[in-house]
Amino acid sequence: MSQEYQIVEKIVNESSLATVLEMLERISHKQAQYWREHEKDEHTAKLWDKAAKQIEQINVEI
């Protein structure tokens, strides 16, 4: 297993999958904002917005 995998697994185990998904949603929104404001790249910003919306729709009952 990669180091990144182990890090994510540890975070999921210490919090919850729902918490990790919420974090990913927030990160995606921040990435969209970054691409919009700093890189002036609306296409990439929209992709990050789309990812955030898709993550938001995931329902976890674990």
Side-chain angles (χ1 to χ4, degrees):
M1 280 185 238
S2 71
Q3 183 178 4
E4 291 87 356
Y5 178 92
Q6 292 174 342
I7 291 168
V8 172
E9 183 178 38
K10 181 178 180 189
I11 294 169
V12 170
N13 288 337
E14 291 178 358
S15 56
S16 71
L17 183 55
T19 299
V20 172
L21 289 170
E22 185 178 333
M23 288 180 205
L24 290 172
E25 179 192 349
R26 289 180 187 179
I27 290 168
S28 296
H29 281 300
K30 286 185 177 186
Q31 284 293 316
Q33 182 180 2
Y34 169 84
W35 283 97
R36 220 171 249 116
E37 292 176 3
H38 298 283
E39 301 296 332
K40 308 300 183 207
D41 183 344
E42 186 61 27
H43 174 73
T44 302
K46 285 181 180 181
L47 292 174
W48 279 107
D49 282 334
K50 182 179 177 183
K53 289 176 186 174
Q54 290 172 333
I55 293 167
E56 183 181 5
Q57 293 176 358
I58 298 171
N59 292 319
V60 177
E61 296 186 24
I62 298 175

